[in-house]
């Protein structure tokens, strides 16, 4: 049984933020060079995609107000 409701928007946001961390960790470790401004499209793009995912999820599942039960 699920303990909480699945929220794909938060999953997408988390994946993009983890990817940003991996990119900059690789740069800090000397594996590759990453320009400082690379964080902007990764974070902003990920948050926009997460917002679109959350909006689509709400449209499919239905918004609803207070939980019934």
């Amino acid at each position: 049984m699920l303990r909480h409701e699945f929220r794909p928007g938060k999953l997408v946001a988390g994946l993009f933020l983890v990817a940003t961390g991996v990119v900059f960790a690789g740069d800090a470790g000397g594996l590759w060079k990453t320009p400082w401004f690379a964080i902007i499209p990764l974070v902003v793009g990920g948050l926009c995609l997460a917002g679109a995912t959350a909006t689509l999820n709400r449209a499919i599942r239905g918004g609803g107000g207070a939980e019934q039960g």
Side-chain angles (χ1 to χ4, degrees), residues 16-57:
F16 270 88
L17 292 175
V18 167
T20 302
V22 167
V23 166
F24 280 98
D27 183 37
L31 297 176
W32 55 76
K33 286 289 198 182
T34 305
W36 65 268
F37 52 84
I39 194 169
I40 296 168
L42 281 171
V43 172
V44 172
L47 290 176
C48 288
L49 189 59
T53 304
T55 302
L56 183 63
N57 179 47

Side-chain angles (χ1 to χ4, degrees), residues 1-7 58 61-69:
M1 183 169 168
L2 292 176
R3 293 184 175 191
H4 56 83
E5 182 181 352
F6 177 64
R7 301 200 181 232
R58 187 168 184 155
R61 291 189 177 183
E67 188 176 329
Q68 306 242 348

